[in-house]
Amino acid sequence: QVKLVESGGGSVQAGESLKLSCVDPGNTRCMGWFRQAPGKEREAVARIYTTGSVVYLRDSLKGRFNIFRDKNTVYLQMNNLKPEDTGTYICAAIGVSSPTSCRVAISMDYWGQGTQVTVSP
């Protein structure tokens, strides 16, 4: 069982930045971030393949968020944070064999516990 370990969450004010980290001991090929706001459904934020190719970034977050990885660690750089970015950010991974498969994967095999991000006005 792969255990993903997230870090980097916290409480910030609108306009500030945070960088989340997720370590995957299994160095799974496809890694991504999801988020869930209180009372809302979980939504995909970004995904990246083992080659470093960003295969998905939520349209509404482009220009503010970015995903990148260094070996078995994936990062989510979040800039110009807004109150609506508040939520639990969850790292996930799946062992697929291509960037396309990473992008279209409906479910993920491994999940982290999540890290809280709170953005105040």
Side-chain angles (χ1 to χ4, degrees):
Q1 182 72 19
V2 174
K3 288 191 73 174
L4 307 179
V5 181
E6 303 115 327
S7 61
S11 296
V12 297
Q13 292 188 321
E16 294 183 339
S17 299
L18 279 174
K19 185 170 78 172
L20 307 182
S21 301
C22 173
V23 179
D24 174 17
N27 198 18
T28 312
R29 290 182 174 181
C30 177
M31 298 182 71
W33 288 96
F34 293 74
R35 70 181 183 182
Q36 186 163 19
K40 294 188 176 181
E41 291 188 357
R42 185 173 61 201
E43 61 183 22
V45 174
R47 294 185 189 182
I48 188 167
Y49 193 59
T50 186
T51 55
S53 175
V54 178
V55 298
Y56 174 78
L57 181 60
R58 194 169 193 84
D59 284 343
S60 61
L61 302 177
K62 290 179 180 177
R64 297 195 299 120
F65 284 28
N66 194 19
I67 185 171
F68 54 100
R69 69 187 291 173
D70 180 13
K71 297 180 182 177
N72 68 339
T73 302
V74 64
Y75 303 93
L76 184 67
Q77 178 66 49
M78 306 184 294
N79 299 322
N80 189 22
L81 282 161
K82 303 177 179 181
E84 53 263 40
D85 295 320
T86 294
T88 301
Y89 284 70
I90 310 157
C91 179
I94 184 170
V96 293
S97 59
S98 72
T100 299
S101 297
C102 179
R103 178 173 57 83
V104 303
I106 296 174
S107 62
M108 308 296 274
D109 290 336
Y110 311 109
W111 295 87
Q113 297 278 15
T115 185
Q116 179 66 31
V117 171
T118 302
V119 185
S120 57

